[in-house]
Amino acid sequence: MKLATVAFYAFALGLLAVGLRELLTGFEENRCSMTYMFEYPEYRRVALPRRVARQYPAYGLYLYGEGLYAQETRELKLTGAPVLFLPGNAGSYKQARSLGSVALRKAENMEGGLHFNVFTVDFNEELVALYGGSLLRQTHFLHESVKAILRLYKHLKIPPQNVVLVGHSMGGVVARALFTLPRFNTNLVSLIITQASPHLAPVLALDPYLLDFYSAVRQKWVSQVNKLRNVTVLSVGGGYRDYQVRSGLTALPCPSGDPNKLSVVATAVPRTWVSTDHLSIVWCKELVLATVRAFFDLIDPETRQFTENPEMKMAVLNHHFIRHPVRMLGETQDTSISFSDFPEAWSEVNTLRLAYSTPKEGQVKYFLFALSSRRKAYSHFYCRSTNLEMTSWVYGCVHKNSSSCVRAVDLSMGTELLPAYKVLILSLNDLSSVTHLVVSASNLNGRQFTVECEWQRQESQTMLVPVPHILSSGLTVSDVMVNSSGLLHTIKLQHFHQAYQAFRINVASQCKVHKDRLSNVYRLKVPWFREDSFTIVSVPSVTEISGMLHTSRPDNTSDVLLQLHTAPNCQYKVSIKTSLPRVLGQILRFCGPMVPVYTAATLLLAYGGQLSSILKSRRAANMGQVVAKGLQPHKVNLPVYILHILLSYSWFQEVWSILWLPHVDALPPTFPDIAFHRDTPVEEWPHILSPLIYILGAAVAYWGSTVLSLIIRLISLILAPLHRPSVSRDCGTLRLESQVFITLCLTVIGLTSCGALSIFAAFLFHLYRVLRLQMTVRSLSHMLNLAPQKHKEAENGTVDTESKSKDCNGTPLLSECALQEVRDDLQLHLCLSSLFVLPAFLSAPSLMYWIRNLRYSVQLDPDPCWPHTVPLIIVYMLLINCNTLKLCGSKLLPLTSCLPLPLAVTMVTFSPLHLYRVTYFLLAALVPLALCCLL
């Protein structure tokens, strides 16, 4: 049975390891180009008012500069447009150098002296993603920084009226929180660009201040959505390389009807098309260039500052981050275009497909496609060109003479930029007033490129393929054969709409005739969110595409599309099969915060099993056995799932609200509209997968407790020479006076400095008790190995067995019974130590924050541990002297042993989004045990 248990938890640990490996390393290599500084970067500190400097001694405001520009701005006489960079969790203010350097180099080539002044804020590299107590302080300092920046421009005739904010990670959340301040003038900031910022919810909610901060930001942007419509916000997620902040969390929780809020993943950004990790999104050259280009297009030529026109801002951001058309931004579209009369430059195409490569020498070339003979047989016209210049290239002819088009309208605005070429798809139903289509293949500058066009019947080039079930584990394959008679084929992936689904999509291409062909582009298109991904391959080839989602489908109206921009006269085989490692990676990506909760629930049930064993047999069970039995999904998951089903009924919700019960916890929704509409039901798939998450959490508890036992054995061996051998079960206990003194000292330290420090110190005191018990077990075991020799001496009369020392219960101190009693106490305290690790772990971020800021303040303010610091210290100190003998004689033990199960169910119900609540549930289970030691 023990071997089967170890094998089961080894298998569960293997699943967890496979999921973690896929989450952390199962993605493409970093394809971002590095940004470099051409001159040494300098950061000039901006003086703030004395009141601000005294109030925020750990923070600072700097101006980025290089070389000559840094010398010119030494006196802070600035004339550019202000941009303020905000670092994120543990981020440095020096991360602004990529944005600042690229903006500076691009300004050197601009006419009229247009440039930017890039400022950056030093937030002392605080861990604000784990400790939310300083988020409000950072927001207030940001307000002061914005006002200080604008004061630097008072000498200008037309000074800037607002500052553009660029926030990385939690810096983007702080930027949006600026509008929650009561005295903040919303006109000071009209554009915010965030990079890998978790807007939807915090990654881990380890203290209540973090959730309160998010709640205030959400309430402000939801309740005053009309007042904040003039504020344009763009959120960019990193993609699958960013395992710290999944891209689903970067979606802005705003109504879909708000036109000034955009969310996009970096893989879908035109001219970027790469996935970035959490840090490289700051310096990724492709993304930095898109940001800087947008900044220059946002400049009003009259004021030489950022425009305040919301429509203009959205047009620029859509141009550079959403859909990059071929027309230059700001270029007016002519309703009628006239062509020069060069009959030799015109060619009419009567075939179904055109493939043309321009010659080396420059020429004027136009192709005419007649619509009259194609309207009934075809639905769309598809055209692509490797010429990526921003020029018009497809027109609709409205007046034609014998051989050429005289007057036409420009149809190029529908062009979409893909990684290898630009593509235009025209619906023939929208071209009723057009007689011919004109495709320009002119290369006046002598640059060679290729143009391919064809008539399409979209219905015949669209195929439906149901994806395999998630439980198929790769054994079932859905495949389809595409005989490429066209340039574009679309495969609808049916039943692919949940975030936990993951597939390996293989596309194998082969051609009968080998010749130079354009690269193929495979696009995984998600209609409900801008998270498209692109793959560029040559022909023939075998390519694997990762089929995963950042967000679940909000409705049943659309399917994920696999668009194949193919080569003609080739054959493509598309195979789709479930990838178990990627499924596990997706589950951990979305449900990872639930694993610690189930780990705590397992340890809590193990603690209950230990108390039940003591109650029934007056003996403590082995630590590994009780932890192994802590996996009880039928007792934990089933009540939670039934509760969620009942909450779907309105009458039960009314009863729930009448009883003033808190909201049931659930993971953040995987789609922003679900987060915005609170009446929308919570997604059910995390609850369906909860048994698997429970198994993973139980594996962490089982192997974690095993490692803890091994560490205690190792440390006890190291410390054994420093202690006298002991044979008493009371080794490591504290006298009443010492208990009171230590409790008072730790309480004072916790209330005047940092509660996490006191909790950690109390945990170490209890750990010392466990170490002494381990030493005692080893000492007794070694002594009892000599027992046969002592019995022989007793038979010869050399040892007086009646005069052996005995303990207070009459049990000889050197006996198998005494050894068993110490072992029982050791198993009990090992179980308690496993529980005590959790509060110490959950309070570690605030302890690290306090240590990093110790030079500025001795007291942690605010302290998230203050409500439970004193109770935890008292419980830890009381349980140091606890043993199985005292528990067996307590009348409270039967009641105490019944509490862990309902507390575990309640913990799983109310703690996935509020991880800090785990400590309160553990405290509710430990306080009765401490009373058992007293009563």
Side-chain angles (χ1 to χ4, degrees):
M1 185 65 182
K2 184 178 180 181
L3 182 61
T5 301
V6 173
F8 173 78
Y9 280 105
F11 175 72
L13 184 65
L15 291 179
L16 181 62
V18 169
L20 285 175
R21 181 183 180 277
E22 189 65 31
L23 176 66
L24 301 178
T25 63
F27 38 70
E28 63 182 8
E29 63 181 7
N30 193 349
R31 294 190 289 116
C32 281
S33 303
M34 177 66 76
T35 51
Y36 295 95
M37 283 79 253
F38 292 90
E39 297 177 279
Y40 188 78
E42 297 183 29
Y43 303 89
R44 191 164 306 282
R45 192 178 184 98
V46 177
L48 298 173
R50 292 184 179 179
R51 172 188 59 83
V52 177
R54 284 196 303 267
Q55 190 173 359
Y56 309 99
Y59 299 161
L61 177 63
Y62 295 85
L63 172 67
Y64 177 83
E66 293 179 22
L68 181 61
Y69 169 77
Q71 299 298 322
E72 293 174 349
T73 57
R74 178 173 297 180
E75 302 299 327
L76 295 178
K77 299 293 185 181
L78 308 178
T79 58
V83 177
L84 178 57
F85 175 81
L86 308 176
N89 177 58
S92 170
Y93 66 96
K94 295 182 180 180
Q95 289 176 312
R97 61 181 177 266
S98 296
L99 179 65
S101 181
V102 172
L104 185 61
R105 296 304 159 212
K106 187 171 178 61
E108 292 177 351
N109 302 322
M110 299 296 293
E111 298 180 358
L114 291 178
H115 66 283
F116 301 101
N117 303 128
V118 178
F119 297 86
T120 178
V121 173
D122 180 13
F123 282 140
N124 195 32
E125 301 183 13
E126 293 177 338
L127 300 171
V128 287
L130 304 177
Y131 169 75
S134 62
L135 282 171
L136 190 59
R137 188 181 302 115
Q138 288 190 1
T139 307
H140 283 284
F141 182 78
L142 174 59
H143 186 196
E144 298 293 342
S145 298
V146 169
K147 293 189 294 184
I149 289 172
L150 293 177
R151 282 195 294 266
L152 298 175
Y153 296 87
K154 285 188 174 180
H155 63 281
L156 298 180
K157 293 182 178 180
I158 307 179
Q161 301 299 315
N162 55 68
V163 178
V164 170
L165 302 181
V166 178
H168 171 241
S169 187
M170 291 300 293
V173 181
V174 171
R176 292 178 65 238
L178 193 60
F179 294 84
T180 64
L181 301 181
R183 296 184 179 180
F184 176 70
N185 181 3
T186 58
N187 294 323
L188 299 183
V189 174
S190 62
L191 175 61
I192 302 173
I193 297 179
T194 67
Q195 302 167 336
S197 298
H199 295 293
L200 208 56
V203 178
L204 291 175
L206 297 180
D207 63 57
Y209 306 115
L210 193 60
L211 284 175
D212 291 343
F213 185 83
Y214 267 84
S215 178
V217 175
R218 176 189 296 274
Q219 183 177 0
K220 179 68 175 182
W221 285 81
V222 170
S223 61
Q224 299 190 11
V225 61
N226 293 325
K227 293 183 179 180
L228 298 178
R229 283 187 181 274
N230 64 319
V231 183
T232 304
V233 185
L234 169 68
S235 175
V236 183
Y240 291 109
R241 285 189 57 82
D242 189 351
Y243 56 84
Q244 298 184 44
V245 177
R246 60 179 176 87
S247 295
L249 290 179
T250 63
L252 292 167
C254 299
S256 57
D258 192 344
N260 294 323
K261 310 298 182 294
L262 293 175
S263 301
V264 65
V265 180
T267 55
V269 175
R271 303 174 74 175
T272 300
W273 300 304
V274 295
S275 177
T276 66
D277 59 53
H278 196 61
L279 292 179
S280 67
I281 196 171
V282 175
W283 54 257
C284 183
K285 185 177 180 180
E286 289 79 4
L287 201 56
V288 173
L289 283 173
T291 305
V292 173
R293 292 187 189 110
F295 283 166
F296 276 97
D297 288 337
L298 285 168
I299 295 295
D300 188 337
E302 295 183 0
T303 62
R304 303 171 65 85
Q305 297 295 331
F306 286 104
T307 180
E308 297 182 9
N309 186 347
E311 289 77 15
M312 181 62 181
K313 288 185 291 185
M314 286 303 299
V316 170
L317 295 181
N318 273 289
H319 181 88
H320 291 283
F321 289 92
I322 306 301
R323 186 183 180 94
H324 203 304
V326 297
R327 189 182 301 280
M328 295 298 292
L329 191 66
E331 184 180 339
T332 59
Q333 180 175 1
D334 296 331
T335 57
S336 180
I337 299 171
S338 300
F339 293 99
S340 302
D341 190 11
F342 295 106
E344 65 278 5
W346 293 85
S347 299
E348 188 164 356
V349 181
N350 296 318
T351 58
L352 298 181
R353 184 179 298 113
L354 165 71
Y356 177 77
S357 297
T358 59
K360 294 183 179 179
E361 62 276 5
Q363 68 171 11
V364 177
K365 189 67 176 178
Y366 298 102
F367 292 97
L368 271 172
F369 296 82
L371 280 169
S372 57
S373 60
R374 308 295 183 183
R375 292 188 185 275
K376 293 183 179 181
Y378 299 96
S379 62
H380 290 77
F381 179 77
Y382 174 94
C383 206
R384 66 190 183 196
S385 172
T386 56
N387 177 19
L388 300 182
E389 291 185 2
M390 300 295 104
T391 56
S392 298
W393 63 302
V394 178
Y395 309 89
C397 184
V398 294
H399 180 64
K400 177 182 176 295
N401 58 18
S402 59
S403 60
S404 62
C405 181
V406 178
R407 191 172 70 254
V409 293
D410 192 355
L411 302 177
S412 303
M413 279 305 291
T415 302
E416 189 171 11
L417 204 61
L418 299 186
Y421 32 70
K422 56 187 179 184
V423 171
L424 178 63
I425 304 176
L426 297 174
S427 174
L428 301 189
N429 292 332
D430 300 332
L431 304 176
S432 57
S433 61
V434 176
T435 60
H436 290 73
L437 292 176
V438 179
V439 176
S440 173
S442 304
N443 63 332
L444 299 179
N445 55 7
R447 292 183 58 184
Q448 289 185 289
F449 59 88
T450 301
V451 175
E452 291 185 340
C453 302
E454 71 171 4
W455 301 99
Q456 289 186 344
R457 189 182 298 107
Q458 203 168 70
E459 294 78 9
S460 63
Q461 293 176 284
T462 301
M463 289 156 283
L464 300 178
V465 179
V467 297
H469 195 273
I470 187 175
L471 298 179
S472 63
S473 300
L475 301 178
T476 304
V477 181
S478 298
D479 52 21
V480 62
M481 189 68 69
V482 178
N483 292 313
S484 179
S485 59
L487 302 178
L488 173 66
H489 295 270
T490 302
I491 300 175
K492 286 189 176 182
L493 305 179
Q494 290 183 304
H495 315 305
F496 181 23
H497 52 80
Q498 291 291 357
Y500 62 84
Q501 294 175 293
F503 304 98
R504 294 182 184 272
I505 304 175
N506 286 284
V507 183
S509 61
Q510 57 182 356
C511 302
K512 296 180 181 179
V513 180
H514 296 279
K515 63 177 183 178
D516 293 336
R517 302 174 187 269
L518 295 183
S519 299
N520 287 356
V521 177
Y522 306 149
R523 176 182 189 177
L524 197 66
K525 184 177 179 61
V526 182
W528 57 83
F529 191 60
R530 300 181 185 95
E531 54 176 286
D532 299 359
S533 59
F534 297 85
T535 305
I536 310 173
V537 297
S538 58
V539 181
S541 64
V542 178
T543 306
E544 182 179 290
I545 304 172
S546 295
M548 298 186 295
L549 297 174
H550 294 291
T551 55
S552 292
R553 185 176 64 183
D555 49 44
N556 297 322
T557 59
S558 53
D559 292 308
V560 175
L561 305 177
L562 177 60
Q563 292 182 343
L564 306 177
H565 295 265
T566 58
N569 303 319
C570 293
Q571 193 177 60
Y572 295 81
K573 182 180 181 181
V574 181
S575 303
I576 307 167
K577 61 181 179 179
T578 300
S579 172
L580 181 59
R582 293 179 182 177
V583 169
L584 293 173
Q586 284 289 87
I587 292 174
L588 290 180
R589 180 176 281 111
F590 284 85
C591 302
M594 295 180 69
V595 174
V597 177
Y598 279 107
T599 299
T602 304
L603 293 176
L604 194 56
L605 292 179
Y607 158 79
Q610 191 69 274
L611 295 185
S612 298
S613 176
I614 295 173
L615 179 64
K616 294 176 182 178
S617 63
R618 305 179 69 86
R619 295 290 186 185
N622 181 269
M623 176 63 181
Q625 294 178 358
V626 294
V627 175
K629 295 179 180 178
L631 179 60
Q632 302 178 21
H634 60 289
K635 294 183 179 180
V636 176
N637 290 122
L638 187 58
V640 175
Y641 189 66
I642 292 174
L643 178 61
H644 278 87
I645 293 177
L646 291 175
L647 283 173
S648 63
Y649 296 99
S650 57
W651 64 267
F652 192 83
Q653 293 180 7
E654 294 176 1
V655 174
W656 190 270
S657 59
I658 291 174
L659 297 176
W660 292 87
L661 294 173
H663 293 289
V664 175
D665 261 11
L667 290 180
T670 58
F671 192 75
D673 278 355
I674 297 178
F676 179 76
H677 299 290
R678 297 189 175 185
D679 296 334
T680 305
V682 177
E683 291 175 297
E684 292 295 328
W685 67 268
H687 303 294
I688 298 174
L689 296 175
S690 57
L692 175 60
I693 304 170
Y694 195 171
I695 292 174
L696 299 180
V700 174
Y702 181 83
W703 293 110
S705 60
T706 303
V707 171
L708 178 63
S709 300
L710 293 176
I711 291 175
I712 288 175
R713 289 187 180 186
L714 179 62
I715 297 177
S716 65
L717 280 174
I718 298 173
L719 297 181
L722 304 178
H723 295 79
R724 292 182 179 180
S726 174
V727 294
S728 172
R729 71 189 308 172
D730 295 329
C731 59
T733 57
L734 297 174
R735 295 180 179 179
L736 179 61
E737 298 82 1
S738 300
Q739 277 185 316
V740 174
F741 176 75
I742 295 174
T743 301
L744 289 176
C745 290
L746 293 181
T747 300
V748 172
I749 292 174
L751 296 179
T752 58
S753 59
C754 177
L757 178 64
S758 298
I759 294 173
F760 188 72
F763 169 72
L764 292 180
F765 275 108
H766 182 268
L767 190 63
Y768 178 74
R769 162 71 162 150
V770 182
L771 291 171
R772 291 304 306 274
L773 284 172
Q774 185 68 56
M775 295 179 199
T776 303
V777 168
R778 187 179 296 108
S779 299
L780 278 172
S781 300
H782 290 170
M783 291 178 183
L784 287 174
N785 287 335
L786 303 176
Q789 180 64 30
K790 291 182 178 290
H791 284 302
K792 290 181 180 179
E793 294 176 357
E795 291 176 357
N796 296 331
T798 57
V799 176
D800 184 10
T801 58
E802 297 296 329
S803 62
K804 277 186 179 180
S805 60
K806 300 181 179 181
D807 64 5
C808 57
N809 298 312
T811 302
L813 292 177
L814 190 59
S815 66
E816 291 290 342
C817 182
L819 176 60
Q820 184 61 45
E821 289 176 350
V822 179
R823 282 176 175 170
D824 288 344
D825 291 346
L826 175 61
Q827 296 302 321
L828 172 64
H829 282 277
L830 280 174
C831 189
L832 293 177
S833 293
S834 299
L835 282 179
F836 291 167
V837 167
L838 295 173
F841 173 77
L842 293 174
S843 60
S846 59
L847 177 61
M848 290 187 292
Y849 180 89
W850 175 77
I851 293 173
R852 291 172 62 94
N853 290 270
L854 192 57
R855 59 176 176 171
Y856 301 109
S857 176
V858 177
Q859 184 176 8
L860 179 63
D861 182 31
D863 190 349
C865 299
W866 72 265
H868 55 258
T869 297
V870 176
L872 272 179
I873 293 173
I874 295 175
V875 167
Y876 281 23
M877 291 296 106
L878 289 176
L879 292 180
I880 285 178
N881 292 350
C882 183
N883 57 46
T884 55
L885 181 62
K886 291 182 180 180
L887 293 181
C888 290
S890 174
K891 297 180 180 180
L892 294 178
L893 185 59
L895 176 62
T896 304
S897 63
C898 296
L899 290 177
L901 179 57
L903 286 175
V905 175
T906 312
M907 180 192 299
V908 173
T909 304
F910 295 104
S911 295
L913 192 59
H914 302 74
L915 286 177
Y916 63 90
R917 289 179 178 172
V918 170
T919 301
Y920 295 101
F921 291 111
L922 297 180
L923 194 58
L926 293 172
V927 167
L929 183 65
L931 295 178
C932 288
C933 297
L934 295 177
L935 303 178

